[in-house]
Amino acid sequence: MFHFNLSFRQSLALLVLLGGVLAGLTAQADALESTETISTPKTLQFTTISLEYLSWEELLRVDSGSQLDNAYANFYGNGISVDHEVYHSSRAGVAYTAAFLFGQANAGGTQTTLPYQTSFKKWYGGLVSARYSYRMTPTITVSAGPMALVRKMSRSDEGTGYSLKYGTDLNVGLLGELGLRLTRKWEARLEMGSLFFKASTYWSVGLGYKY
């Protein structure tokens, strides 16, 4: 099973998001343009640029040549994404996302046979997603669909003599997103997804500028 122990930064990020959600639900959003009302039959299009904090976990295989052991690697970092939404009806549409991701990974420390642990291992990558999107109200949007995530990192064994195998460089899965308009231009965003191959839940929280 994968572990979900949150670090202080991860816990703080979740608290910030929850605070934003509560504030958005209890405060009146800025007046939206008349073309964004649910009764409007015209095609609507939005582009959103977001800054996100994200994390997921992968299986790590440690191989000494004569023994094998399993551990976990926690990936965390930031993302810059561009999201484009198109609505051909008053509520339903599609959303496309492309994001550049970068950060660090902590690995090891949970295996039972071979001692290995490392921290702050740098990585970078990207994410793309195409989702069915539904506007519940002019300020609340939900969407879901397939995603693909690619990431690159150093393959060095760091002088341990072990062969290390981190999950997979290219992974696919399903992604869901909740968007909450805080004002006419600013949106709080929460993403949760499941990666299919040797990895666990992907999640991110972010703030986007919509135009």
Side-chain angles (χ1 to χ4, degrees):
M1 293 181 61
F2 289 98
H3 305 280
F4 296 93
N5 295 325
L6 297 181
S7 68
F8 173 77
R9 287 192 297 179
Q10 292 172 329
S11 300
L12 182 60
L14 287 175
L15 289 174
V16 169
L17 176 71
L18 290 174
V21 170
L22 290 175
L25 292 176
T26 57
Q28 184 71 25
D30 288 355
L32 299 178
E33 297 175 359
S34 60
T35 55
E36 296 185 36
T37 61
I38 290 301
S39 60
T40 300
K42 297 179 180 180
T43 296
L44 299 178
Q45 297 190 49
F46 305 104
T47 298
T48 307
I49 299 176
S50 302
L51 178 64
E52 304 160 352
Y53 178 84
L54 56 97
S55 182
W56 77 93
E57 197 169 70
E58 293 185 7
L59 179 67
L60 170 62
R61 176 67 60 87
V62 183
D63 186 353
S64 68
S66 59
Q67 292 179 302
L68 292 175
D69 208 347
N70 291 324
Y72 299 98
N74 175 246
F75 289 75
Y76 60 93
N78 297 102
I80 301 172
S81 69
V82 178
D83 187 89
H84 187 65
E85 303 164 72
V86 180
Y87 297 92
H88 295 294
S89 70
S90 59
R91 291 182 182 268
V94 292
Y96 306 96
T97 299
F100 172 69
L101 315 177
F102 58 95
Q104 299 175 330
N106 299 328
T110 58
Q111 59 272 40
T112 58
T113 303
L114 302 175
Y116 174 78
Q117 189 168 8
T118 188
S119 300
F120 310 118
K121 198 172 181 69
K122 294 185 182 299
W123 61 269
Y124 66 92
L127 180 148
V128 292
S129 174
R131 304 180 307 281
Y132 171 80
S133 186
Y134 186 79
R135 301 179 75 212
M136 300 178 66
T137 73
T139 58
I140 300 176
T141 303
V142 294
S143 62
M147 64 177 287
L149 185 151
V150 60
R151 58 110 184 100
K152 293 290 185 180
M153 64 187 301
S154 170
R155 294 291 185 178
S156 170
D157 63 7
E158 300 169 348
T160 62
Y162 297 148
S163 173
L164 307 174
K165 176 63 175 177
Y166 289 84
T168 178
D169 288 346
L170 174 63
N171 217 323
V172 295
L174 294 175
L175 182 69
E177 181 181 286
L178 168 67
L180 176 65
R181 298 282 288 275
L182 303 176
T183 70
R184 189 170 63 90
K185 293 294 186 181
W186 293 98
E187 180 178 68
R189 302 164 69 89
L190 169 64
E191 292 180 328
M192 294 288 290
S194 177
L195 295 169
F196 293 161
F197 303 108
K198 301 178 181 179
S200 69
T201 301
Y202 171 94
W203 64 266
S204 75
V205 293
L207 183 66
Y209 180 79
K210 186 180 290 288
Y211 62 93

